[in-house]
C-alpha cells in the first residue's frame, strides 16, 4: 500500500506532505509517515529546516475516529508530536483549511506555524466527550494563555487564523495561493535561529479569576457533561507544575473520558448523524431535482421559521397567507428575528436586507406556480390540508415537490388528494423552525425516490439534520413522546406532583419535563373546547383558563417573567380527580418515574424499528437529541437503553404491566443491543 506521506526536497528544506483524503485524518499510516519524515530530516545534514503541509482541502483535521476503542498502532500521536518538537532543526506547520484536534496538536508541536487567511484551528474533542490527548491542553496555555486555552478545549469551537495570530498560536499569515512557497521561505528565514521555540519549555501563568469566570459563564451549557470539566482541570494543571506533570494529568483525564459512557454516547451520535443522511434503499447517485425557488403556505410561527431557513441559504421564498394583516405580521417577525441576530453580530445589515430581498409575500396560491418546492405549514386539520393540496395540484408546475409540515397526520392521505402522490412528502420541522436542527422527512407509500433524495440532500444547506420516517401517527418523535405523557399523568393520580416528575427528567439532562413542556406548548392544544366536559386533569386546567405559560397558569403558576412555581390550585384539582377515581395517594419514587415514563419510550422505539418506520436505532437517537433536547451525553433513548441494559428495561416494563415489544424482548433475551 502506498504511504499517505511523501517528502520533497526544496534545496535545504524538506517538505513533508500528507495526502490522506478526505480530511488527512491522523491514522496509523499517517503517523508512521510523519515519524519517518522527521527522521529523514534530522538524519540529513544538508537539510536545514522542515515544512509539514497537506494536500487536498485541509490540513490534518483530526484523529482517525475509527481507531477509537481499538488497540493503538505505534507510534501514538503524542510520540510523533514530541519527536517533531524535539527535532534540532526548525519545523514549520503550513496550515490551510482546518487544523482540528490532533491536527491542531501537530501544529503546536512544530516550532513555527504559518497559515492562509481562511484557515481555522481548534480542538473540538470536547464535542466527542474527550479532550486533546496529545499535549494540547498543556501546549495551548503555554503559548496563548489560560483564557484562550479554556475556550478552545472546553467549548471546542475553532478560531480564525487572525485570532490565532493575535494569540501567538500562528506566527505569520501567508498568501492564500502561495502557502507552500511562503512556508518554505519562512522556514529558510528561521533556519539558523536558536534556541528553537518549544511549547513544552514555556511556562503557563495561573489565572484563577479567568477560570472561575469561565466556569460561571458556561455553567448552564456544561451541565451534566464530564468532558468540559476534565478539559478545565487539565488547563489548570498546565500552570501548576512541569510539562511532564501536566501531560500525566492530561493522560489520566483522557483515559477516564475515553473509557466512560459519555464519550461513547457522543461518538455514537457523531456517526449516527452522518448515517441518518443515508437512505438504505436509494442509490447514493440518484439524480436530485433542482430546488431554486421555494413556496411556504402559512406565515405564522412555523411558516415564518421555515422560510428563514431557505432565505439564509440564499434560496428565494414566496410566502402565502389568507389575510393581509397575518401576512404583514409574519414578514415583520422574520425581519425582527434577523435584525435581532444582526445586533448580536451574526449578520451584517447588508446580509439582512439581502435575505429579506429574497422574500416575496402574497395572498394568492397562484403565485406558487413556478416554485420547485412548496411546503404547507398550516394548522393540523386533515380536511383543510387536503383542500390545500388539491389546489396546489392544479396550480404548481409538474415536477415540483409538494411537502406538508404536519407533525402527526397521515401523509399518504394528504398525497391522495393530488394526482401526483409521487411528488408528495412530509417535511416536519420543529419549533422554532429557524433554530431547531431536526427535520423529520416522512416518506409516503408513493413518494418517488428522487423526491426523497432531493429533500434529504436539501437538509444540509438549510442547516438541518434530516431523518427519514415512515407514515405512522406522530412519526418517530411524537409517537414516542405520547408514550411518556400518558404515564406521567397517571403518576399524578397516584401521588406524584408535576414538579417531582419534571425534576426527574431535568435531573437526567432533559431541557424540561413533560408538564413544563405542556405549559410551554399550551395546555389547550387539542382540547375539545367544552368547559362543561371535564374528563381529565388537563380538561380541568383548560376549563379554568390554565392554558400554560401564555396565561401565566397551567400545571404551574407563572410570574411576569414566566418563572414557574408549584400551584396550590393544581394540587387541589389533582386531589379531587384522585378522590373521584377512588385512588389512594402514595409515595412515588424517582426510579418509578423513570421506569414508567422513559422505559415505554424505548419500548415504542423498538416497535417503530420492527415496523420499519425508522431505518435504524441510531436514527431514533438523532430525532430525540436534535428535536426534543434529549441529553447528548446519553446518546439518545435507544443508546441510553443499551447502557441501562435491555434486560433491565424489559423487567421494568413488565413490573408496571406494559406489554413489551417483541423486538425489545428478543434482543434482551439474546443479550444484544440496539
Amino acid at each position: 500500500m502506498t504511504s499517505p506521506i511523501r517528502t520533497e526536497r526544496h534545496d535545504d528544506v524538506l517538505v513533508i506532505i500528507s495526502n490522506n483524503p478526505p480530511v488527512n485524518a491522523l491514522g496509523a499510516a499517517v503517523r508512521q509517515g510523519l515519524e519517518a519524515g522527521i527522521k529523514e530530516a534530522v538524519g540529513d545534514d544538508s537539510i536545514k529546516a522542515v515544512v509539514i503541509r497537506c494536500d487536498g482541502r485541509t490540513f490534518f483535521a483530526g484523529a482517525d475516529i475509527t481507531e477509537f476503542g481499538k488497540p493503538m498502532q505505534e507510534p501514538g500521536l503524542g510520540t510523533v508530536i514530541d519527536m517533531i518538537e524535539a527535532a534540532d532543526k526548525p519545523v514549520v506547520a503550513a496550515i490551510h483549511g482546518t487544523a482540528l484536534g490532533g491536527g491542531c496538536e501537530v501544529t503546536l508541536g512544530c516550532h513555527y506555524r504559518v497559515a492562509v487567511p481562511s484557515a481555522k484551528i481548534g480542538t473540538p474533542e470536547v464535542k466527542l466527550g474527550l479532550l486533546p490527548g496529545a499535549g494540547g491542553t498543556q501546549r495551548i496555555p503555554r503559548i496563548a494563555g489560560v483564557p484562550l486555552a479554556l475556550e478552545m478545549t472546553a467549548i471546542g469551537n475553532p478560531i480564525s487564523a487572525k485570532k490565532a495570530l493575535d494569540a501567538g498560536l500562528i506566527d505569520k499569515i501567508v498568501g492564500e495561493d502561495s502557502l507552500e512557497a511562503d512556508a518554505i521561505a519562512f522556514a529558510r528565514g528561521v533556519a539558523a535561529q536558536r534556541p528553537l521555540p518549544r511549547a513544552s519549555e514555556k511556562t503557563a501563568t495561573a489565572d484563577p479569576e479567568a477560570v472561575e469566570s469561565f466556569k460561571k459563564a458556561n455553567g448552564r451549557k456544561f451541565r451534566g457533561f464530564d468532558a468540559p470539566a476534565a478539559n478545565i482541570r487539565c488547563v489548570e494543571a498546565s500552570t501548576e507544575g512541569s510539562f511532564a506533570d501536566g501531560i500525566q494529568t492530561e493522560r489520566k483525564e483522557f483515559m477516564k473520558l475515553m473509557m466512560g459512557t459519555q464519550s461513547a454516547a457522543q461518538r455514537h451520535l457523531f456517526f449516527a448523524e452522518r448515517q441518518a443522511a443515508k437512505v438504505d434503499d436509494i442509490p447514493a447517485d440518484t439524480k436530485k431535482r433542482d430546488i431554486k425557488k421555494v413556496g411556504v403556505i402559512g406565515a405564522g410561527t412555523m411558516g415564518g421559521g421555515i422560510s428563514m431557513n431557505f432565505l439564509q441559504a440564499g434560496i428565494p421564498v414566496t410566502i402565502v397567507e389568507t389575510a393581509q394583516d397575518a401576512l404583514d405580521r409574519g414578514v415583520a417577525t422574520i425581519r425582527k428575528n434577523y435584525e435581532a441576530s444582526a445586533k448580536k453580530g451574526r449578520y451584517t445589515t447588508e446580509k439582512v436586507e439581502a435575505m429579506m430581498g429574497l422574500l416575496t409575500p402574497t395572498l394568492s396560491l397562484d403565485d406558487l406556480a413556478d416554485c420547485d418546492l412548496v411546503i404547507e405549514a398550516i394548522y393540523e386539520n386533515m380536511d383543510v390540508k387536503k383542500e390545500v393540496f388539491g389546489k396546489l395540484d392544479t396550480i404548481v408546475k409538474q415536477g415540483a415537490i409538494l411537502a406538508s409540515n404536519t407533525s402527526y397526520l397521515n401523509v399518504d392521505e394528504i398525497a391522495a388528494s393530488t394526482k401526483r402522490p409521487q411528488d408528495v412528502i412530509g417535511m416536519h420541522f420543529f419549533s422554532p423552525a429557524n433554530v431547531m436542527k431536526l427535520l423529520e422527512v416522512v416518506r409516503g407509500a408513493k413518494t418517488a425516490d428522487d423526491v426523497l433524495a432531493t429533500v434529504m440532500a436539501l437538509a444540509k444547506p438549510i442547516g438541518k439534520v434530516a431523518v427519514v420516517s415512515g407514515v405512522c401517527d406522530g412519526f418517530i418523535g411524537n409517537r414516542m413522546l405520547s408514550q411518556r405523557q400518558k404515564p406521567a399523568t397517571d403518576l399524578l393520580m397516584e401521588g406524584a406532583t408535576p414538579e417531582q416528575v419534571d425534576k426527574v427528567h431535568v435531573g437526567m439532562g432533559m431541557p424540561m419535563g413533560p408538564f413544563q413542556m405542556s405549559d410551554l406548548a399550551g395546555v389547550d392544544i387539542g382540547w375539545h373546547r367544552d368547559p362543561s366536559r371535564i374528563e381529565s386533569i388537563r380538561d380541568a386546567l383548560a376549563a379554568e383558563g390554565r392554558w400554560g405559560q401564555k396565561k401565566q397558569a397551567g400545571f404551574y403558576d407563572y410570574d411576569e417573567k414566566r418563572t414557574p412555581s408549584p400551584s396550590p390550585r393544581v394540587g387541589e384539582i389533582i386531589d379531587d380527580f384522585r378522590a373521584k377515581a377512588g385512588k389512594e395517594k402514595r409515595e412515588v419514587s424517582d426510579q418509578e418515574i423513570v421506569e414508567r415514563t422513559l422505559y415505554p419510550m424505548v419500548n415504542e422505539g423498538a416497535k417503530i424499528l420492527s415496523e420499519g418506520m425508522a431505518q435504524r436505532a441510531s436514527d431514533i437517537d438523532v430525532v430525540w437529541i436534535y428535536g426534543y433536547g434529549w441529553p447528548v451525553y446519553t446518546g439518545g433513548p435507544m443508546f441510553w437503553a443499551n447502557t441501562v441494559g435491555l434486560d433491565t428495561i424489559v423487567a421494568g416494563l413488565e413490573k408496571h404491566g406494559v406489554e413489551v415489544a417483541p423486538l425489545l424482548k428478543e434482543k434482551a433475551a439474546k443479550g444484544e443491543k440496539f
Side-chain angles (χ1 to χ4, degrees), residues 389-410:
F389 273 77
K391 289 178 180 176
L392 291 176
D393 194 30
T394 64
I395 294 170
V396 182
K397 68 181 181 182
Q398 291 300 309
I401 297 172
L402 307 180
S404 174
N405 180 53
T406 179
S407 55
Y408 65 88
L409 295 178
N410 190 311

Side-chain angles (χ1 to χ4, degrees), residues 565-605:
S565 59
S567 170
R569 177 57 190 145
V570 171
E572 291 171 2
I573 290 171
I574 294 170
D575 288 343
D576 185 46
F577 262 87
R578 189 185 302 114
K580 286 178 181 174
K583 288 182 177 285
E584 288 288 324
K585 186 175 183 177
R586 64 178 179 85
E587 287 290 322
V588 176
S589 71
D590 289 354
Q591 180 58 28
E592 182 179 348
I593 292 171
V594 171
E595 292 171 359
R596 299 262 307 266
T597 61
L598 299 184
Y599 287 12
M601 293 175 61
V602 174
N603 196 46
E604 196 67 23

Side-chain angles (χ1 to χ4, degrees), residues 92-388:
V92 180
I95 307 164
H96 77 293
T98 52
L100 299 178
C104 178
E105 291 179 289
V106 168
T107 73
L108 299 173
C110 294
H111 307 115
Y112 301 97
R113 292 157 291 278
V114 301
V116 299
S118 61
K120 293 182 182 295
I121 71 170
T123 51
E125 287 91 340
V126 68
K127 297 180 181 183
L128 295 179
L130 294 169
L131 53 78
T137 66
Q138 301 307 298
R139 288 189 173 95
I140 296 174
R142 283 176 164 81
I143 297 172
V146 165
L148 184 60
L150 292 171
E151 178 189 327
M152 289 181 68
T153 62
I155 295 177
N157 295 330
I159 64 172
S160 67
K162 174 68 169 63
K163 185 169 181 175
L165 178 70
D166 293 342
L169 289 171
I170 287 174
D171 297 287
K172 187 178 182 182
I173 292 180
V174 298
E176 198 76 52
D177 300 318
S178 55
L179 174 61
E180 182 177 74
D182 290 350
I184 291 170
F186 183 92
R188 285 205 180 97
V190 297
Q193 290 190 17
R194 296 295 185 277
L196 292 172
R198 295 183 171 94
S200 63
E201 295 173 357
K202 296 178 184 289
T203 301
T205 304
D207 194 342
E209 284 186 18
V211 173
E212 284 310 306
S213 175
F214 182 78
K215 287 179 180 177
K216 187 175 180 181
N218 294 285
R220 187 173 179 184
K221 185 191 299 182
F222 293 162
R223 183 172 68 88
F225 287 90
D226 292 339
N231 276 277
I232 293 169
R233 277 195 295 277
C234 289
V235 170
E236 287 184 292
S238 73
T239 70
E240 296 167 352
S242 68
F243 181 77
D245 291 340
I247 288 292
Q248 275 195 320
T249 300
E250 182 184 270
R251 174 56 30 184
K252 177 182 159 193
E253 294 292 344
F254 180 87
M255 292 310 298
K256 201 189 300 180
L257 293 173
M258 176 60 86
M259 302 305 291
T261 303
Q262 287 200 4
S263 180
Q266 288 177 255
R267 283 179 273 135
H268 160 76
L269 179 62
F270 177 87
F271 288 115
E273 183 180 331
R274 284 146 186 80
Q275 190 71 13
K278 299 171 183 172
V279 184
D280 289 342
D281 61 346
I282 295 181
D285 61 353
T286 299
K287 184 172 170 48
K288 317 293 191 295
R289 300 190 187 185
D290 285 335
I291 306 296
K292 294 177 180 173
K293 186 176 181 182
V294 172
V296 176
I297 303 173
T301 301
M302 285 305 298
I306 291 168
S307 299
M308 289 178 71
N309 294 300
F310 293 97
L311 297 173
Q312 285 158 208
I315 300 172
V317 174
T318 299
I319 190 166
V320 184
E321 254 299 350
T322 55
Q324 189 66 50
D325 60 339
L327 185 63
D328 292 343
R329 189 164 54 247
V331 172
T333 299
I334 292 173
R335 175 175 283 282
K336 181 182 171 187
N337 289 339
Y338 279 148
E339 288 176 347
S341 294
K343 283 180 182 174
K344 294 174 184 173
R346 187 176 170 194
Y347 301 125
T348 62
T349 304
E350 292 75 22
K351 174 69 172 173
V352 171
E353 294 307 321
M355 291 188 292
M356 292 304 298
L358 294 172
L359 182 65
T360 303
T362 180
L363 297 175
S364 174
L365 287 175
D366 291 339
D367 290 332
L368 302 175
D370 62 342
C371 289
D372 304 299
L373 165 67
V374 177
I375 303 169
E376 162 273 309
I378 60 177
Y379 62 95
E380 292 286 77
N381 179 290
M382 178 60 84
D383 290 338
V384 176
K385 288 184 188 286
K386 286 163 73 172
E387 181 184 349
V388 167

Side-chain angles (χ1 to χ4, degrees), residues 476-488 505 508 510 514 517 593-609 620-621 623-625 628-631 636-638 640-641 649 653 658 661 664 674:
I476 296 171
N478 284 340
R479 176 172 166 179
M480 289 173 67
L481 182 66
S482 67
Q483 298 304 307
R484 183 181 81 167
Q485 297 302 106
K486 184 183 182 303
H505 287 81
M508 287 191 63
M510 313 286 181
M517 179 182 283
I593 292 171
V594 171
E595 292 171 359
R596 299 262 307 266
T597 61
L598 299 184
Y599 287 12
M601 293 175 61
V602 174
N603 196 46
E604 196 67 23
K607 293 177 184 176
I608 287 169
L609 284 172
I620 295 174
D621 290 333
V623 165
W624 268 84
I625 282 171
Y628 299 85
W630 187 283
M638 308 310 280
W640 171 76
I649 301 284
L653 290 166
V658 178
L664 175 55
F674 286 114

Side-chain angles (χ1 to χ4, degrees), residues 454-473:
T454 300
V455 172
M456 291 298 288
L458 188 60
K460 189 171 183 180
I462 64 170
K464 302 300 175 194
V465 176
V467 175
V468 177
S469 171
V471 176
C472 57
D473 189 47

